[in-house]
Amino acid sequence: MASEDATGDDATVRAYDPSRDWQALWERKERFERELGGGKDDATTVRYEAKLTDDYRERYRAWVENCVEREPGCVVVATDADDRVVGYAFVLPEDLSLVWDAAVLNELYLDEDWRGTGAADALMDAAVAHARDQDLPIDRMVLDVDPDNDRASGFYEKRGFEPWAEMVAYDLS
């Protein structure tokens, strides 16, 4: 990410700091997962809710810390005027780009009250800037988006993302 903080309306985007931002990041990750699993069938909702255990939280924390240690700036947060975290973006480290031969936007989440304010654009700008600094097999960024999430799909389309492949899943249970 560029050394300067980016802004989006009243939000500022800066690099994630594990020592001060972890709890706020986790709260948003939980909301991200609940929104992803919610509104679908009951079994999906239960599955997403059930995975949010203490063990999952600690594994996610360790993974984020490992990624940030290996590649500072791969996780950025959007903060309000009081420096409270209101969203985040997480670009996988460069060495994981070989999975898709591209930069991977793993997650982008913004508190509901901040959607439509320009903060998502600021987060995306920071994520794209970070990805451009990676040495990628193919200069592109990929992400997966829930096809039922019209708002997110519209945002990514407005930002120039185009359908590239379709992800399918197989239940391992």
Side-chain angles (χ1 to χ4, degrees), residues 4 22 39 41 54-55 68 71 88 102 105 122 126 138 157 172-173:
E4 297 176 22
W22 163 247
D41 59 84
D54 289 340
D55 180 59
V68 169
E71 193 167 302
Y88 71 98
L105 180 59
I138 299 175
E157 185 178 327
L172 293 173
S173 56

Side-chain angles (χ1 to χ4, degrees), residues 95-129:
D95 61 326
L96 298 176
S97 68
L98 295 173
V99 172
W100 292 105
D101 285 338
V104 178
L105 180 59
N106 189 55
E107 295 165 357
L108 189 149
Y109 181 84
L110 197 58
D111 289 354
E112 197 168 340
D113 292 351
W114 283 85
R115 296 173 190 172
T117 66
D121 285 311
L123 281 168
M124 182 59 80
D125 289 345
V128 168

Side-chain angles (χ1 to χ4, degrees), residues 41-159:
D41 59 84
D42 290 340
T44 301
T45 300
V46 168
R47 238 156 114 196
Y48 274 82
E49 192 66 36
K51 82 176 195 176
L52 295 173
T53 63
D54 289 340
D55 180 59
Y56 179 84
R57 178 183 190 269
E58 290 311 309
R59 288 176 59 203
Y60 182 78
R61 181 181 195 166
W63 184 58
V64 169
E65 287 180 6
N66 178 275
C67 289
V68 169
E69 224 173 76
R70 289 185 359 242
E71 193 167 302
C74 69
V75 179
V76 293
V77 294
T79 60
D80 66 12
D82 295 320
D83 202 37
R84 288 184 298 246
V85 173
V86 298
Y88 71 98
F90 185 174
V91 176
L92 294 184
E94 179 181 304
D95 61 326
L96 298 176
S97 68
L98 295 173
V99 172
W100 292 105
D101 285 338
V104 178
L105 180 59
N106 189 55
E107 295 165 357
L108 189 149
Y109 181 84
L110 197 58
D111 289 354
E112 197 168 340
D113 292 351
W114 283 85
R115 296 173 190 172
T117 66
D121 285 311
L123 281 168
M124 182 59 80
D125 289 345
V128 168
H130 185 82
R132 283 190 172 127
D133 288 340
Q134 293 181 334
D135 182 16
L136 303 167
I138 299 175
D139 289 331
R140 67 176 168 204
M141 176 182 273
V142 298
L143 58 88
D144 64 322
V145 61
D146 184 335
D148 296 329
N149 188 338
D150 294 333
R151 184 177 193 124
S153 296
F155 172 75
Y156 295 128
E157 185 178 327
K158 179 184 88 167
R159 293 294 308 224

